[in-house]
């Protein structure tokens, strides 16, 4: 006899967090990547294994609204809510990129109740950039 296909209420293709084992994580690292068009917040343990991640796009923002501070605040809140339930108390914050969501994401992290060891800016800066191409002959 064939198995019945279960009906799915929401059509969104979302990954469930039930696959990941709920470990007790007292300390972690929060990575914030703030570009001009999106903000990605990833929470890892101290060894670098991803526990939770969220972005402005996965929170339902589309188009130009993904680059706004409010979208970054929402993404940070969603990423952190999952790890606070797993018992995270202390975290380091590493912020990368020039986007508008940098400060808003940091404000949302501060409000979440996690104690911050340090906040570090790891935006890559060219010290003199790449060597330019050689000049073309005329």
């Amino acid at each position: 006899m064939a198995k019945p296909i279960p009906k799915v209420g929401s059509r969104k293709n979302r990954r469930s967090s039930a696959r990941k084992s709920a470990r007790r994580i007292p300390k972690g690292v929060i990575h914030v990547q703030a570009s001009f068009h999106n903000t990605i917040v990833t929470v890892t343990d101290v060894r670098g294994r991803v526990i939770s991640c969220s972005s402005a796009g996965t929170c339902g923002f589309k188009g130009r609204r993904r680059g706004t501070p409010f979208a970054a605040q929402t993404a940070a809140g969603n990423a952190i809510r999952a790890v606070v339930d797993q018992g995270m108390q202390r975290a380091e914050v590493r912020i990368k990129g020039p986007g508008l969501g940098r400060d808003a994401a940091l404000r949302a992290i501060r409000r979440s109740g996690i104690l911050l060891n340090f906040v570090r800016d790891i935006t890559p800066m060219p010290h003199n950039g790449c060597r330019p191409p050689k000049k073309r002959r005329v």
Side-chain angles (χ1 to χ4, degrees):
M1 182 168 162
K3 279 201 274 187
I5 299 169
K7 293 265 191 228
V8 179
S10 173
R11 287 173 51 102
K12 286 200 174 187
N13 187 13
R14 281 207 183 128
R15 276 188 283 178
S16 67
S17 61
R19 284 190 306 163
K20 297 199 176 180
S21 60
R23 298 189 304 267
R24 294 286 295 169
I25 298 139
K27 190 176 174 201
V29 184
I30 301 169
H31 301 267
V32 179
Q33 292 176 273
S35 68
F36 289 119
H37 301 295
N38 202 356
T39 304
I40 303 168
V41 181
T42 309
V43 184
T44 66
D45 59 6
V46 286
R47 291 180 61 188
R49 295 177 296 190
V50 174
I51 302 161
S52 167
C53 86
S54 179
S55 72
T58 59
C59 291
F61 293 94
K62 297 279 183 243
R64 292 194 58 183
R65 292 189 359 196
R66 284 189 307 185
T68 61
F70 177 67
Q73 178 183 326
T74 309
N78 284 2
I80 289 170
R81 198 174 306 123
V83 295
V84 169
D85 295 341
Q86 293 185 18
M88 184 179 284
Q89 292 137 5
R90 305 183 73 79
E92 306 167 357
V93 180
R94 296 187 183 161
I95 300 178
K96 181 193 282 188
L100 294 170
R102 295 166 57 103
D103 300 330
L106 186 57
R107 247 180 274 136
I109 293 166
R110 284 238 163 97
R111 274 203 306 266
S112 69
I114 292 178
L115 296 171
L116 303 182
N117 290 355
F118 62 81
V119 179
R120 182 172 287 171
D121 186 7
I122 56 166
T123 305
M125 289 285 194
H127 289 287
N128 203 8
C130 302
R131 181 175 174 161
K134 68 178 190 180
K135 298 291 181 248
R136 296 178 62 181
R137 286 190 300 279
V138 179

